[in-house]
């Protein structure tokens, strides 16, 4: 009996706990997808080893070094370096190591080419920041060891490629030289370091490669000075521009004797009114000069004379020279016209002939070609073939071979800036009967297979078939709205200014749009995307109107630069309207009002604190004027340590009258003392739904949550504690957290954590805040929770009061009423450091919540909110236990099964977005970083629906079997009764 | 002497038990407080009732540790050798978009603790009453449902500090009988972080236009300092000894007898009920068998009789 009770208790425990969120092996990929990206490629090095598959090694702007399959573009291996570990250069050494130089030339690493294991790592010290150069000379051997030459931080280093040991080191910073190139002439032991001292002096150093001995030093002064860009034409000739950019100087330094040869740009190019720029392509015997839109290729003769080879229009980019069979070199040119891209491969010495000329149809949404890398191969007829890797404006990567795009990678998705969602179209014709009948057999077959699976009769083939059916279920990737609200479009804005619509079912790109307003142009030099907002969400006209999103960006990097706006239809992916450049944009406030076409009203705040209303229609003004007095906003000036509240005032006094522009005036201000610096501010999500204000606690008491949309969580630390952990003692570092009402500027709660410091990551939901910080005294990370309750409603407990209507539950809530609040707070240790925190959100807010924590290991951990309940105590009473209060522990448990990302990693995790599904129990989670990950979560399990793999066939068969059994037993009993009667 | 004062104080503030607690638990504060009582009676009542009043929280030393008092207005006792000195804070107000003008003065005692931290205690407030023009301006605000704004310097010792602290309220929230106002001043050492200025009562939208009966202010002031966060508990070893942490976390709660054993109790109940009906039927059948001639006895009874007969066999 005791055993039975124990088993029963265990069962109860299992059914009771929803903590252990986990899934079975065969459920992976059913409702989640994971996409791996690398980002915009900066450098590519081809590796054509005879044995094994062909690969290309790339480094990207997302600090990724990766090895890609040349045939299909898949990732063989990939390493994401830290955010402040940008890769400067990559190369291949010894034919088996990938060498990366990163962190402004201070760390050098070697990775094993086949599998990406790190072989060695060297730290290159140096104090003067300078250009970082990496050179891996071929045939430069020192005692069977190949040298790697690095110039970084003002020092020249020679590093062994076998173990990364620094063989010798020369400090050139003391000489004042800024080294521009490292040159190693083939077959010699001499290294040339050439560069400029000051503005006009040109220096050449010659070193012995074996021991770093300075062999020769030459210097010459060019009176008019140099502009910094140079192009290396051969091992002893350079071309540079003078300071006025009107004279080309070819510098020869054969045997250390420096000679200048000047040529006026106007002698070579007639239209020289615009500044000439030497392009940094490595070609031999020639260089490329860009004036206006024309690219001029200029040959340098042995005497240093310059000859124009060709002037080509519409050239987008040129590859570096690639040596192929003996002494021959080739390079590629990419031109773009209309929707076509023209790839030309030319021989280095012979301009007139083309090795290859191809035209490829290119999707206009990919924009212009930004970079090209070429690689050669031997064709089946033993001639030389070339393939080109092209990086486009939208950061995508394409491989072109034989006039075709062999593969492409949408690597723009590695740099997601903002995410919003859009519903899919409503299914218009309904499900046709014919379709069901057509599928009936398939349907039955599928269910029979599932039945076999459940009854454990399935053979391995059947199991595979079941898995295939489940994964390929066409249901989940349909382009229509579903009953449960699982199918949606994720509208994603990327750094390249491209908007993607991803289907939540399988993560495919439904459409993509390179926004014209976010492309580099004359008017807009540095366009940056900022946010995406839902602009129009039709409910009343859902059948015949499409939803749209508002994309906000700005032209430039400072907050004062003019903004650009565009509105994009989310079904067709067409730009409906674009505005800009307009006023600057520092803040966007979506208002809770919509006009008759269900366009949401937005307030855009500019740098002068004028508020601009969008859409700019008289109707919008009408709606806005009606609610004018109740619109408040706030601004956080983190650098000054001031938070201010504002209210809208009169129309702006501008040169041109603008009735959609309003002035703001200060309503309140909070000035933090100089001993505090703002490091984090968090608000509640605007679209969050709270089911009930009341929270019933153990002894049938009720607590009322203080639910206000206007609460702001602010965390400040001492100025000393802003840096990294470990640079400040616990005595001089403290963290202060605030809860502030943003309408009145009222500080509702203020608490100091002594001996703690940031970084602070926080999430605000309903009436609670959870934040993560570092405790210096305990040497551990901590998670703290603050819950805030409304006391003014706390005395509505009497039933009679409620019946007689003698209560204040229906009284309106106003920020101008003095709130009677109480707060509860508790802190716990937490093992991980955190990259992002989010909370699950459901349609009605009934389901219990889970915190989603993006850990340092780039995974997402789901932690039940019940663990962060400030009412936890060491020995909860019986009643409290019944309510579900967990006994207090000092640290939060990390249950391996509760990783939402299970075995996968979302490399470079930056953000977690939760979207409620229509089904109350379920929430959709989208995680982005360099990778993308999407899944569906049910924090309290799917209590409101059957699971997808529910076997309807088994249910039907059971019912049929039961009915048959009833009839059989009935007949049998009839018969028996008859026999009995006859007896 | 002190006891006498205390008694006097207690008799006055018997209801305010929390304040009492603070006073009793820290004798030095209690000593100072009786002075305050003699001067200003109404002040502090509101604050005392508030459970968050805490004037004794030690403040971290701020950059302004020199007690140089640059009060722009009136007397200062900086010559006084004792570390406690009086400071004055000018309160200014503005009507809608108008400029700021003086509206009152806060007076407080600056207390320097032994470790160098400075705190303000014994805050008093003297409010200037409205002049005739100000009354007119305030009426205009009431009609337009506009904001009445106040400001104070952000640093007590060197006003205005880095910036002024502004706080506003809809003018229509203030009038009751007189003009009711409520200040909550958030301090950090000698710095003022924020002032929450509001009416002490609810003020929901839409606000009705109501003129005050008399143009005098009824002010309440509360000083607030930061709370210190509770330390994370450190007891892993004692509590969780060798127990499984996960299981500890989610022990199923104890349930009542019914909740625990309902699946046993229901069949038992059914059996019992069945047995009772059986037992009820038995005498009935016997009765039926005996009085078969009765006309009321229907076929059912006969059948039942047969049934029982069959069963008996």
């Amino acid at each position: 009996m005791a055993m039975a009770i124990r088993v029963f208790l265990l069962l109860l425990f299992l059914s009771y706990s929803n903590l252990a969120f986990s899934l079975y092996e065969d459920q992976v990929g059913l409702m989640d997808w994971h996409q791996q990206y690398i980002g915009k490629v900066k450098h590519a090095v081809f590796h054509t080893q005879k044995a094994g598959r062909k690969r290309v090694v790339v480094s990207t702007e997302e600090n990724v070094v990766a090895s890609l399959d040349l045939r299909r573009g898949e990732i063989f291996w990939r390493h994401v370096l830290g955010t402040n570990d940008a890769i400067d250069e990559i190369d291949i050494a010894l034919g088996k190591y990938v060498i990366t130089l990163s962190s402004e030339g201070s760390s050098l690493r070697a990775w094993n080419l086949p599998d990406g294991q790190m072989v060695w790592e060297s730290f290159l010290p140096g104090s003067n920041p300078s250009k970082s150069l990496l050179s891996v000379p071929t045939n430069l051997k020192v005692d069977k060891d190949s040298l790697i030459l690095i110039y970084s931080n003002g020092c020249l280093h020679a590093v062994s490629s076998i173990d990364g040991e620094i063989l010798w080191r020369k400090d050139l910073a003391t000489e004042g030289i800024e080294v521009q190139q490292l040159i190693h002439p083939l077959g010699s032991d001499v290294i040339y370091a050439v560069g400029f001292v000051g503005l006009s002096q040109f220096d050449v150093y010659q070193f012995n490669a074996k021991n770093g001995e300075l062999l020769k030093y030459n210097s010459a002064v060019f009176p008019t000075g140099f502009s910094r860009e140079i192009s290396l034409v051969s091992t002893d000739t350079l071309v540079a521009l003078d300071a006025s950019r009107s004279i080309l100087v070819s510098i020869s330094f054969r045997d250390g004797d420096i000679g200048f040869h000047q040529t006026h740009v106007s002698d070579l190019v007639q239209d020289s009114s615009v500044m000439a720029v030497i392009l940094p392509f490595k070609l031999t015997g020639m260089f490329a000069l860009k004036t206006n839109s024309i690219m001029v290729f200029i040959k340098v003769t042995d005497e240093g004379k310059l000859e124009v080879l060709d002037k080509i229009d519409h050239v987008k980019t040129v590859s570096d020279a690639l040596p192929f069979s003996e002494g021959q070199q080739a390079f590629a040119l990419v031109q773009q016209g209309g929707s076509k891209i023209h790839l030309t491969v030319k021989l280095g010495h012979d301009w007139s002939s083309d090795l290859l000329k191809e035209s490829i149809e290119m999707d206009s949404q990919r924009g212009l070609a930004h970079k090209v890398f070429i690689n050669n191969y031997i064709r089946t007829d033993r001639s030389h073939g070339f393939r080109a890797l092209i990086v486009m404006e939208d950061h995508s990567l394409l491989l072109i071979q034989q006039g075709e795009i062999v593969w492409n990678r949408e690597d723009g998705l590695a740099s997601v800036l903002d995410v919003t969602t859009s519903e899919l179209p409503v299914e218009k014709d309904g499900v046709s009967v014919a379709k069901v009948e057509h599928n009936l057999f398939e349907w039955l077959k599928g269910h029979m297979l599932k039945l076999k699976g459940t009854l454990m009769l399935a053979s391995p083939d059947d199991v595979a078939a079941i898995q295939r059916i489940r994964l390929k279920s066409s249901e989940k990737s349909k382009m229509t709205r579903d009953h449960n609200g699982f199918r949606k479009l994720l509208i994603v804005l990327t750094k390249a200014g491209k908007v993607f619509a991803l289907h939540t079912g399988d993560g495919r790109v439904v459409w993509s749009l390179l926004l014209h307003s976010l492309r580099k142009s004359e008017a807009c030099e540095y366009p940056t995307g900022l946010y995406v907002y839902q602009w129009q969400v039709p409910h009343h006209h859902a059948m015949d109107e499409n939803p749209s999103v508002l994309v906000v960006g700005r032209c430039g990097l400072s907050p004062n630069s003019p903004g650009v706006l565009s509105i994009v239809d989310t079904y067709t992916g067409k730009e409906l309207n674009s505005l800009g450049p307009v006023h600057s944009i520092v803040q966007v406030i979506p208002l809770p009002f919509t006009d008759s076409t269900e366009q949401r009203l937005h307030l855009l705040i500019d740098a002068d604190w004028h508020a601009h209303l969008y859409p700019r229609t008289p109707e919008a003004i009408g709606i806005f004027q009606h609610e004018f007095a109740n619109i408040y906003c706030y601004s956080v000036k983190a650098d000054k340590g001031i938070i201010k509240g504002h209210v809208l005032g009169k129309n702006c006094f501008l040169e041109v009258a603008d009735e959609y522009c309003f002035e703001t005036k200060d309503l309140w201000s909070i000035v933090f003392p100089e001993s505090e610096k703002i490091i984090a501010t968090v608000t509640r999500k605007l679209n969050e739904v709270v089911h009930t204000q009341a929270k019933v606690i153990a002894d049938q008491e009720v607590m009322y949550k203080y639910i206000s949309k206007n609460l702001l969580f602010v965390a400040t630390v001492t100025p000393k504690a802003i840096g990294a952990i470990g640079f400040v003692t616990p005595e001089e570092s403290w963290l202060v957290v605030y809860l502030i009402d943003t309408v009145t500027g009222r500080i509702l709660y203020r608490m100091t954590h002594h001996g703690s410091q940031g970084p602070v990551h926080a999430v605000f939901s309903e009436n609670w805040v959870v934040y993560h910080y570092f405790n210096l005294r305990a040497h551990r990370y901590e998670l703290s929770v603050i819950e805030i309750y409304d006391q003014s409603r706390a005395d509505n407990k009497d039933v009679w009061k409620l019946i007689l209507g003698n209560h204040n539950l229906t009284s309106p809530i106003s920020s101008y009423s003095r709130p009677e609040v109480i707060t509860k707070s508790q802190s716990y240790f937490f093992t991980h450091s955190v990259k992002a925190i989010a909370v699950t959100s459901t349609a009605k807010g009934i389901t219990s919540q889970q915190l989603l924590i993006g850990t340092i290991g780039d995974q997402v951990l789901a932690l039940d909110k019940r663990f962060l309940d400030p009412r936890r105590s060491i020995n909860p009473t019986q009643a409290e236990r019944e309510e579900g209060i967990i006994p207090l522990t000092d640290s939060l448990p990390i249950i391996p099964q509760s990783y939402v990302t299970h075995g996968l990693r979302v490399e470079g995790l930056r953000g977690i977005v939760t979207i409620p599904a229509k089904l109350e129990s379920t929430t959709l989670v989208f995680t982005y970083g360099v990778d993308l990950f999407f899944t569906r979560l049910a924090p309290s399990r799917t209590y409101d629906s059957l699971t997808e793999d529910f076997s309807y066939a088994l249910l039907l068969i059971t019912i049929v079997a039961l009915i048959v059994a009833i009839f059989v037993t009935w007949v049998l009993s009839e018969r028996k009764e008859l026999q009995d009667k006859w007896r | 002497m002190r006891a006498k004062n205390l008694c006097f104080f207690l008799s006055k503030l018997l209801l305010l038990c929390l304040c009492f607690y603070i006073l009793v638990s820290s004798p030095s504060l209690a000593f100072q407080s009786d002075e305050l009582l003699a001067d200003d009676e109404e002040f502090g009542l509101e604050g005392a009732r508030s459970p968050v009043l805490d004037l004794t929280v030690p403040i971290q030393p701020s950059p302004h540790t020199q007690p140089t008092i640059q009060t722009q207005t009136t007397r200062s006792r900086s010559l006084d050798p004792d570390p406690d000195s009086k400071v004055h804070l000018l309160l200014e107000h503005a009507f809608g978009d108008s400029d700021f003008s003086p509206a009152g003065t806060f007076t407080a005692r600056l207390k320097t603790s032994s470790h160098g931290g400075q705190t303000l205690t014994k805050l008093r407030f003297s409010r200037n009453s409205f002049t005739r023009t100000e009354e007119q301006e305030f009426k205009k605000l009431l009609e337009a449902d506009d904001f009445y704004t106040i400001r104070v310097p952000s640093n007590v010792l060197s006003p205005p500090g880095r910036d002024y602290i502004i706080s506003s309220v809809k003018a229509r929230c203030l009038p009751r009988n007189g003009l009711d106002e409520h200040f909550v001043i958030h301090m950090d050492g000698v710095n003022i972080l924020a002032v929450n200025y509001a009416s002490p009562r609810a003020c929901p939208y839409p606000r009705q236009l109501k003129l005050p009966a008399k143009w005098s202010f009824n002010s309440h002031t509360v000083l607030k300092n930061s709370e210190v966060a509770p330390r994370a508990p450190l007891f892993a070893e004692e509590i969780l000894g060798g127990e499984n942490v996960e299981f500890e976390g989610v022990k199923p709660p104890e349930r009542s007898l019914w909740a625990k054993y309902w699946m046993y109790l229901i069949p038992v109940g059914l059996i019992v009920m069945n047995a009772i009906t059986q037992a009820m039927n038995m005498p009935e059948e016997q009765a039926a068998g005996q009085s078969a001639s009765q006309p009321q006895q229907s076929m059912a009874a006969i059948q039942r009789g047969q049934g029982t007969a069959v069963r008996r066999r």
Side-chain angles (χ1 to χ4, degrees), chain B residues 95-225:
Chain B
F95 303 89
D97 297 328
S98 79
D99 287 337
F100 285 95
S101 56
T105 316
F106 288 101
T107 316
R109 183 164 283 256
L110 189 70
K111 205 167 158 284
T112 311
S113 61
S114 53
H115 51 80
Q118 287 175 309
T119 44
L120 283 191
T121 52
K122 300 203 296 173
L123 188 77
R124 292 174 220 174
F125 181 48
S126 69
R127 184 73 145 110
N128 306 347
S129 52
F130 275 161
T131 61
R132 192 51 59 81
T133 49
E134 283 172 342
E135 270 176 32
Q136 289 308 317
E137 292 215 50
F138 197 81
K139 269 183 198 159
K140 267 189 226 157
L141 286 187
L142 290 177
E143 276 151 23
D145 193 18
D146 210 344
F147 289 99
Y148 175 67
T149 308
I150 56 137
R151 73 173 188 190
V152 291
S154 65
N155 192 297
V156 176
L157 296 180
S158 56
R162 287 199 295 140
D163 202 345
Y164 280 101
I165 309 285
I166 309 173
S167 189
S168 310
V169 71
K170 284 272 184 189
R172 286 188 186 181
C173 290
L174 294 179
R176 295 287 143 180
N177 202 4
L179 291 164
D180 288 5
E181 58 181 3
H182 185 267
F183 294 88
V184 182
I185 303 175
H186 292 267
M187 302 286 304
D188 180 59
V190 293
N191 292 303
I192 300 178
L193 264 92
V195 175
N196 303 148
Y197 180 64
S199 129
R201 281 168 207 89
C203 184
Y205 181 84
R207 293 167 277 269
Q208 301 304 320
L209 175 62
K210 186 189 168 211
L211 288 176
K214 56 179 193 300
W215 289 95
S216 68
F217 274 98
N218 184 17
S219 311
H220 302 280
T221 314
V222 180
L223 259 184
K224 265 192 191 177
N225 277 309

Side-chain angles (χ1 to χ4, degrees), chain A residues 422-441:
Chain A
S422 163
E423 293 290 342
L424 281 161
V426 181
E427 199 154 7
K428 278 179 184 157
D429 302 321
V431 184
S432 68
V433 181
K435 209 173 154 193
V436 171
E437 276 176 359
H438 175 74
N439 287 333
L440 193 64
F441 180 68

